[in-house]
Amino acid sequence: MTTNTDILIVGAGMAGASLAARLAGHARATILEAEDQPGYHATGRSAANYEPVYGPPVIRALTLASGDFYRSPPEGFAAAPLLSPRDVLMMGGDHDDAIAADLIAVGYRRIKGDDAKRRLPLLRDPLPKHLLLDDTNRDLDVDAVHRGFLGQHRRAGGVLVCKARVESAARSDGVWRIQSTAGVFDAPILVNAAGAWADDLVRRCGLGPFGLTPKRRSACIVAGPAGVDVRGWPQIGNLADTFYAKPMGGKLMISPADAEPVEPHDAFADDMGLAEAIDRYQGFVNHEVTRIESSWGGLRTFARDGDPVIGFDPRTEGFFWSAGQGGYGIQTAPAWSELAALLLMRSAALQKFCSAHGLRAEAVAPVRLLSAGA
């Protein structure tokens, strides 16, 4: 039996779930998820922040445009606030002068050593040359955001089908037909929100890949220093971007901030990378880490130029991209999904939205990757 719908969205992570929620009331959308639960590979493994100064210009614009949603989500979206305070303290030496200048240009500010030690009492002496603070950052409840979008989709009558791995796809007579492990689905519009598998999906649709690259990010949980409450600590990292650490559930999450290009797979942590990150962390903080309690890996998928891929593919009809989130998908989700919905529906409100937030649809359009030879 074939299931007919207006829009098929492949991928129930943050990109697919948020877009499906935005389409509620405008079109019937069905989400196909390859795994047995939504958000398994990237969204469910993210410890994302809402950090308006983080990322390239288009990402910063989308993040700022998402702020009002996160501060005041729609009624019934979440049971508790989505944001909570979490400063970011970045540190470095003489060789990091250029990086420090770049961060100051986008909003970080210098703080003095006594201020840094007040925020992080176990900071080692001698203090690093550069102590830069971002006090606009917030912890973001990723699970609540994801569940909130899926809930909006469900309450509007939308359908989520798990264990629905796409096996083949073809377009005929104005309709995409998807053969999946959960059955056959037809729709005029197919949305590629498949994350690390975005290029795999486009191949199955008979189109050439765009060169999107999944990159692994490793992380682990360790206990905080004995007798120390770390919950109020800032997130910390070095300007070389080879480690960061942040409080999580009364403990500490440490990551080497790795971005290892990999094939799409069920990612696991790089143990050597974690060991190096812990060593770098201990170089800044007077805390001997003796044991890793748990570890995991996640996939962040990047386009060649590092910017999002949002819009219709010019090579065929009815194939829409919402991919290449590059590790910024959570903090940008409200504005990303609104922009995607406006583009998908070819809404007259698109120009107003872009003008209000300093965005250009051309900057995220898939055609740019074709012209760049992807």
Side-chain angles (χ1 to χ4, degrees), residues 30 208 285 343 373:
T30 297
V285 181
L343 285 164

Side-chain angles (χ1 to χ4, degrees), residues 83-366:
L83 301 176
S84 54
R86 178 74 60 203
D87 293 346
V88 176
L89 176 63
M90 299 295 288
M91 301 171 284
D94 289 336
H95 52 288
D96 297 315
D97 289 353
I99 302 172
D102 288 343
L103 288 183
I104 290 170
V106 297
Y108 276 78
R109 61 183 176 86
R110 293 191 183 277
I111 61 172
K112 295 181 178 179
D114 56 352
D115 190 5
K117 284 215 166 187
R118 178 180 61 81
R119 298 168 186 275
L120 187 63
L122 296 186
L123 194 59
R124 285 188 183 274
D125 291 316
L127 296 179
K129 173 182 178 180
H130 298 292
L131 294 165
L132 305 182
L133 186 75
D134 170 24
D135 55 10
T136 67
N137 180 71
R138 298 291 183 268
D139 279 345
L140 185 53
D141 190 332
V142 178
D143 181 60
V145 173
H146 191 216
R147 285 188 288 106
F149 283 127
L150 288 173
Q152 287 185 320
H153 172 61
R154 183 183 64 254
R155 288 190 295 273
V159 176
L160 166 64
V161 184
C162 292
K163 300 181 181 179
R165 188 175 300 277
V166 174
E167 297 177 322
S168 65
R171 187 171 179 85
S172 178
D173 297 326
V175 172
W176 282 100
R177 169 157 289 187
I178 299 294
Q179 302 276 352
S180 82
T181 51
V184 181
F185 298 84
D186 283 359
I189 295 176
L190 175 61
V191 175
N192 185 353
W197 282 263
D199 262 6
D200 179 69
L201 176 64
V202 81
R203 289 189 189 97
R204 293 175 188 270
C205 293
L207 302 170
F210 267 19
L212 271 66
T213 303
K215 297 184 179 182
R216 180 179 59 191
R217 172 64 51 96
S218 305
C220 67
I221 296 293
V222 304
V228 175
D229 185 353
V230 301
R231 289 175 296 178
W233 280 16
Q235 176 174 313
I236 63 171
N238 61 346
L239 292 174
D241 198 25
T242 56
F243 96 91
Y244 66 90
K246 66 178 290 186
M248 182 177 289
K251 300 185 179 185
L252 291 170
M253 185 198 79
I254 299 179
S255 171
D258 49 334
E260 176 76 17
V262 294
E263 292 298 315
H265 70 294
D266 189 354
F268 52 88
D270 175 4
D271 291 339
M272 181 61 71
L274 291 178
E276 292 172 348
I278 289 170
D279 183 64
R280 292 172 185 128
Y281 161 79
Q282 292 176 142
F284 286 97
V285 181
N286 186 20
H287 170 208
E288 182 181 2
V289 176
T290 58
R291 184 171 71 91
I292 291 176
E293 297 189 357
S294 61
S295 65
W296 68 94
L299 300 178
R300 298 141 45 95
T301 303
F302 293 80
R304 174 173 305 187
D305 58 7
D307 284 338
V309 187
I310 309 172
F312 281 103
D313 192 310
R315 300 172 297 179
T316 189
E317 293 294 322
F319 189 95
F320 188 91
W321 287 82
S322 184
Q325 292 176 299
Y328 308 107
I330 313 299
Q331 71 177 47
T332 62
W336 177 302
S337 57
E338 186 171 359
L339 175 60
L342 292 171
L343 285 164
L344 192 153
M345 294 184 293
R346 306 184 192 275
S347 171
L350 173 65
Q351 187 56 51
K352 180 178 179 181
F353 176 83
C354 289
S355 296
H357 301 294
L359 291 163
R360 292 187 307 108
E362 296 82 4
V364 300

